[in-house]
Amino acid sequence: MVLREVKQERSARTRAALFRAGAEVFAELGFAGASVSGIARRAGLTLGALYFHFGSKEELAREIVRAQPARVPVAVGACGLQAAVDTSVLWATRLLEDPVLLAGARLVMDQEYFVGPGDGNSYEQWTGVLVPFLREAAESGDLREGVGPEPLARLVVNAATGLQMNEQLSTGRRHLPERVREMWRFLLPLVATEECGARIVLLRGASGV
């Protein structure tokens, strides 16, 4: 039993090391520029270890994309439109230092190479994260008449994606959190009721720092 647990722990550490190395290399080089040998070398492990845990570069890229939402936990007690705002601002803030989120941002334009039909891409994934919050906002009467949760979620995801791509070219994403807050300053008067809009706080991060 003890030996099995030791092996499982070692396997988990190996997988985590490969996962992080893959994120770092994808963030730096993109999908096409990354190689399995380079990822294994970055992790200090063998190609055999990489193929055992992930099978291919495509599978590793898919796993990194799927892991994105878990890197952006919603603040305790946040709900409705405030939770949607917090999620987007926290994503922009953490992306600056989290190699997994950076990899997701870099891979967003390369998904045709590793995401197949029906697998779900990162746009759909992030839209799915925001929709429940925005449905809650609609049910609470916080959205203006005619503003649908699903279209609004798609708009926010597409706008945030465009912002991070532009900021990467212009500032290395240094100003991305402020650009996301700026986006909401324009959006809120258009999509939220006046009462709800007055309650929304555009935090610098989920913790307000």
Side-chain angles (χ1 to χ4, degrees):
M1 176 66 78
V2 173
L3 181 59
R4 184 184 305 121
E5 290 178 353
V6 170
K7 288 182 178 180
Q8 290 174 343
E9 290 176 3
R10 185 184 301 123
S11 178
R13 288 196 299 270
T14 298
R15 182 181 176 86
L18 288 164
F19 185 86
R20 183 178 179 85
E24 291 174 352
V25 174
F26 285 135
E28 294 168 9
L29 304 176
F31 183 80
S35 66
V36 288
S37 59
I39 293 170
R41 186 163 54 249
R42 177 71 64 92
L45 294 163
T46 65
L47 274 175
L50 189 150
Y51 284 123
F52 175 81
H53 285 280
F54 293 102
S56 67
K57 183 171 77 167
E58 290 79 5
E59 182 179 337
L60 176 55
R62 285 193 295 271
E63 288 297 315
I64 288 171
V65 168
R66 290 177 185 139
Q68 302 292 297
R71 317 292 289 196
V72 188
V74 181
V76 175
C79 59
L81 192 53
Q82 183 68 67
V85 171
D86 288 353
T87 297
S88 61
V89 174
L90 182 57
W91 163 79
T93 303
R94 291 197 169 187
L95 185 145
L96 302 180
E97 298 180 349
D98 187 330
V100 178
L101 292 176
L102 278 170
R106 184 67 185 266
L107 289 169
V108 71
M109 295 304 295
D110 295 332
Q111 293 180 86
E112 62 186 283
Y113 300 114
F114 60 86
V115 175
D119 287 342
N121 57 51
S122 65
Y123 299 104
E124 296 168 344
Q125 179 175 255
W126 282 112
T127 299
V129 169
L130 295 181
V131 162
F133 300 140
L134 297 176
R135 284 178 178 165
E136 186 176 21
E139 292 167 0
S140 300
D142 288 336
L143 297 184
R144 290 188 180 276
E145 185 176 354
V147 176
E150 289 80 6
L152 178 55
R154 288 193 293 269
L155 174 63
V156 170
V157 170
N158 287 327
T161 300
L163 285 173
Q164 74 87 6
M165 292 172 65
N166 181 69
E167 282 300 303
Q168 166 58 19
L169 294 173
S170 58
T171 70
R173 302 191 185 94
R174 289 195 309 276
H175 303 312
L176 181 58
E178 177 54 32
R179 294 294 172 263
V180 171
R181 289 192 290 273
E182 191 174 76
M183 172 191 75
W184 280 110
R185 290 189 191 102
F186 281 102
L187 272 180
L188 284 173
L190 301 175
V191 303
T193 62
E194 186 173 348
E195 181 182 355
C196 174
R199 296 196 308 266
I200 299 297
V201 179
L202 297 176
L203 301 177
R204 298 181 68 83
S207 62
V209 298

